[in-house]
Structure formats: C-alpha cells, structure tokens
C-alpha cells in the first residue's frame, strides 16, 4: 500500500449516546486494561511521559518478617504466615535483601496454581494423616494398568499422551519455506490436556474464558519437543442464572449484583463468546462440553459455584520421535517465540490461588490476561513447521508461557542445569513496563524453547515467515 513509516496502529471506537450518559456507556463497554477514553477527535499523540517503576529492595535484613508481610499485601503474593517465616529465614541465611522482582517470582511460582501444594501435601482428616496425597489418588488408576502400552506421557509434561499407531502423514518437503508436499509414515500418539481458568473468568468473563482456551491450546502445542492441536472442549459451572423474564424451577437463591465479579448469566454469555472467538481465530473446532449451574441450601449451608469453573480441554497428536524433552546441556540457546510483552496477567498465579475476595480489586483485575488468537495461530504454525521436519526438528525442549510469565517458563527450561537470561532481549509492546512486569506478567501466545546453536537460523527463518518474534534470550551455562 506504500505505507512504509507506520510504527503503531490503534483501534478506536466511537459510541453515540442515544439518550444515555457518557458514564453509562463507559461502564458498560470500556476494558480499562486495554482501552482508554479519549475526547472526540482522538489523541494528538500516543507518546507517554510515564516512567516504569524501578526495582525495589525489600529490607528483610533490617525489618525481618514485617518487610515480606508488607510486600505480600502490596504485591498480592498470596503468601501465608508459613511462607513469610520461611522466606525471611532464607534471605537472612543468604545474607542479602531480595528485590520486589524476586519476591514476585517466588509468590507466583510457589502458588497453589503452579506448584499444587494441596494435591501433593500431607492430608490430615479428623486428626489422622492419610497414607496417600490427592495426587497419589489421581495417579492410582494409571498405576493399576501396569502397562506402558497405554500411557506414553503422564504427569510429567504439558500434555498426556496415549499410544497411537503408524499412520500416513502429509507434510511439506521443506517445512521452512514454500514447497511441495509428500506422504510419510510416522508413529502418531494421541494427546489430551485440560485446564481451568476460574478466577479470571469471574473477574472478566470474555477475556478470562478466551485465555483459558488459549492456555489449553498452548499446552497442546508444548508436549515433548513439540505437539499439535486437534479439537477443543469447553465446560462451565456457575451459580443460579436468574435470567430476567425466564424463571427456572428451583432457583430460589442467587441474583446478587457485584461490582467486582461477573454474574453467572454474564459468565455464560460473555465467557462462551470469548472462548469461541479465540478458538475461531486459530481455527480449532470446539467439539463438545458441558454446562452446570448450582446454588442451593444444603443441610443449612449455602453451596454454590460463586467462583465459576471454566474448563478447557483439548485433544491433539504428537510424533513418536518427539515424545521426550531433551535435558538442558551447556551451550544450548534459551529462546522465546511469540507476541510482544504487555503488562497483562500480572500476578495471576498468586491471585487465582487465594480465597476469592482476599485480594484487592485492583490486583485481581491486573491478574487477568488478554488473548490474541491470531498470534496464537501464527506461533502454532511455527511449531507445526518444526514438528513436520521429523527427526530434523530444531526444538530440543518446549514449554508454554503461563502463570508467572518468563520467570516461570524460562527457569523451567533450564531446571537442574542453570543458565543466563538477558531480560532486555524480550520484545516490548509496551515500552513503559517495569522489570517486574516484563519478568513475571503472563502476556499470552508465547513459548520458551531450547535450541542447539546450529539450528537457530532455521528457527529464525520460520519465525520471520510467520511474522513471529524470535528472541534469543541467553544460553544454558551448566552452573
């Protein structure tokens, strides 16, 4: 089109009042995380004089537990008194003060969302310690099979996998560039994964459900050395709907209005719209699902899905040659692919692990992600090109970026070996982001990869073709 100097494009919307007040329209339509209100005629410039927050030192050596207690409240770390005592003692033992960036990473990485303390911890019922934790109970049916012929991946990757078959697969002869296709015979296993996005869907149904589906899709992409999606499923559990003008038998309770949380009816309407919109943007069919609503007095106690369940499941497939992630080895490059960084999903791991209402409304809102299904599609095409290379796949290991952002996915990649990361190599969509946000926000549609140095140009070629950022952030050092 001859437009060569454009550096930024913004979407804007103009609303006619039609007898309504400006405040009413803003309250109904504004997404304060991604939109701002401008006077008629629009802004003169998108330049901002906003300065990002600087890294803060948390004075644990001088103030003890109180320093972490205050940071816990201010940053929404979700720590209990045991955590506060433990990390106070740890930094005293190390003889140094932590930064707010470190504490934020700790709070999210060690949340129930990411580490599943409840499922792996000791259970005491009526004073008696149980012999099995919840995860042991969940694993039990798999152990009863006593057969590797059924389960290929279980409880150790982003997806589970069931044994498949040798099948004929249509792949490009040169997946990194335009080429003819050919049929090849490969062992293809069935992958299955599921996740929930309950907390974000209660705060912002459309975005919460959309990014819940996006998270499932990225898990489906990130098995072994790369895997591929096939079909999705969705499920919703809410309180009583209390639909205006449509009475449902038995709905005695419910109907409360909250400024902080979405109603069950809004969750079903906006949540299903957001989820389907995201799935449509990267072209995965939604093959099934379920809906449940419940809010009743049971034996004198009110039982309800006040915090909803937003369930997102997916099936896909993985090449038998790509099942096992490679161990990090000295010299391997730590790479991130996907969209640019924005200050969205800040503290989602910790926020979703708290009792609802325990966090401040501002921190709750900050913890909700915003999805970009188009970028999800493009990054998926990069992974597909790598996977279609078969034994020439450049990916040694892959994890999707979820709660905790780069601080979680990159450390997961270099676990047990260690490495260096240059945070300033991350491409920013928002130049005003603080180090804390860059390192720990859950900006979507990104993956962390381990790549051998000799394969990086191949990956960069594919990313350039699909218009996806390819950031070489550091390398495995082995120390």
């Amino acid at each position: 089109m001859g437009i060569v100097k454009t550096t930024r494009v913004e979407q804007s919307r103009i609303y006619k009042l039609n007898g309504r007040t400006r405040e009413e329209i803003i309250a109904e339509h504004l997404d304060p995380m991604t939109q701002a209100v401008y006077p008629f005629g629009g802004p003169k410039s998108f330049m901002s004089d906003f300065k990002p927050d600087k890294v803060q030192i948390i004075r644990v050596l001088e103030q003890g537990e109180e320093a972490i207690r205050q940071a816990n409240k201010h940053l929404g770390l979700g720590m209990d008194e045991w955590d506060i005592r433990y990390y106070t003692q740890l930094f005293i033992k190390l003889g140094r003060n932590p930064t707010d960036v470190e504490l934020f990473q700790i709070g999210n990485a060690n949340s129930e969302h990411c580490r599943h303390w409840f499922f792996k911890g000791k259970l005491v019922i009526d004073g008696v310690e149980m012999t099995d934790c919840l995860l042991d109970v969940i694993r039990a049916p798999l152990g009863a099979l006593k057969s590797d012929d059924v389960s290929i991946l279980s409880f150790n990757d982003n997806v589970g996998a069931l044994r498949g078959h040798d099948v004929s697969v249509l792949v490009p002869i040169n997946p990194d560039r335009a080429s003819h296709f050919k049929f090849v015979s490969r062992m293809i296993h069935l992958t299955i994964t599921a996740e929930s996005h309950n907390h974000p869907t209660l705060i912002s149904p459309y975005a919460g459900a959309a990014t819940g589906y996006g998270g499932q899709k990225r898990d489906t992409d990130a098995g072994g050395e790369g895997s591929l999606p096939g079909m999705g499923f969705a499920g919703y559990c809410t309180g009583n709907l209390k639909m205006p003008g449509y009475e449902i038998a038995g709905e005695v309770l419910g109907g409360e209005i909250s400024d902080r949380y979405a109603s069950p009816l809004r969750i079903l309407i906006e949540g299903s719209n957001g989820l389907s919109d995201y799935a449509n943007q990267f072209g995965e069919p939604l093959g099934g699902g379920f809906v449940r609503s419940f809010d009743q007095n049971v034996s004198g106690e009110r039982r309800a899905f006040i915090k909803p369940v937003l369930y997102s499941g997916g099936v896909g497939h993985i090449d038998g040659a790509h099942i096992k992630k490679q161990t990090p080895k000295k010299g391997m490059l730590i790479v991130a692919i996907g969209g640019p960084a924005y200050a969205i999903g800040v503290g989602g791991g910790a926020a979703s692990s708290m009792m609802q209402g325990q966090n401040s409304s501002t921190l709750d809102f900050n913890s909700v992600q915003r999805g970009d299904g188009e970028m999800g599609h493009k990054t998926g095409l990069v992974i597909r090109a790598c996977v279609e290379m078969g034994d020439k796949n450049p990916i040694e290991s892959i994890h999707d970026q979820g709660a905790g952002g780069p601080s979680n996915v990159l450390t997961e990649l270099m676990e047990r070996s260690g490495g260096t990361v240059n945070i300033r190599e991350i491409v920013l969509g928002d130049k005003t982001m603080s180090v804390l946000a860059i390192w720990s926000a859950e900006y979507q549609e990104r993956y962390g990869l381990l790549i051998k140095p000799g394969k990086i140009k191949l990956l960069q070629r594919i990313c350039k073709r699909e218009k996806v950022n390819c950031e070489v952030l550091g390398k495995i050092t082995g120390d």
Side-chain angles (χ1 to χ4, degrees), residues 430-457:
D430 176 3
K431 308 293 189 203
T432 68
M433 288 175 72
S434 66
V435 172
L436 185 151
I438 298 169
W439 188 230
S440 291
E442 192 181 348
Y443 33 101
Q444 300 276 291
E445 291 76 53
R446 286 174 61 92
Y447 303 81
L449 314 173
L450 290 183
I451 305 290
K452 286 183 178 176
K455 298 287 185 73
I456 188 61
K457 287 186 178 178

Side-chain angles (χ1 to χ4, degrees), residues 190-202:
L190 175 73
T191 64
I192 310 169
T193 191
E195 74 162 68
S196 61
H197 229 219
N198 311 333
H199 163 79
T201 303
L202 179 62

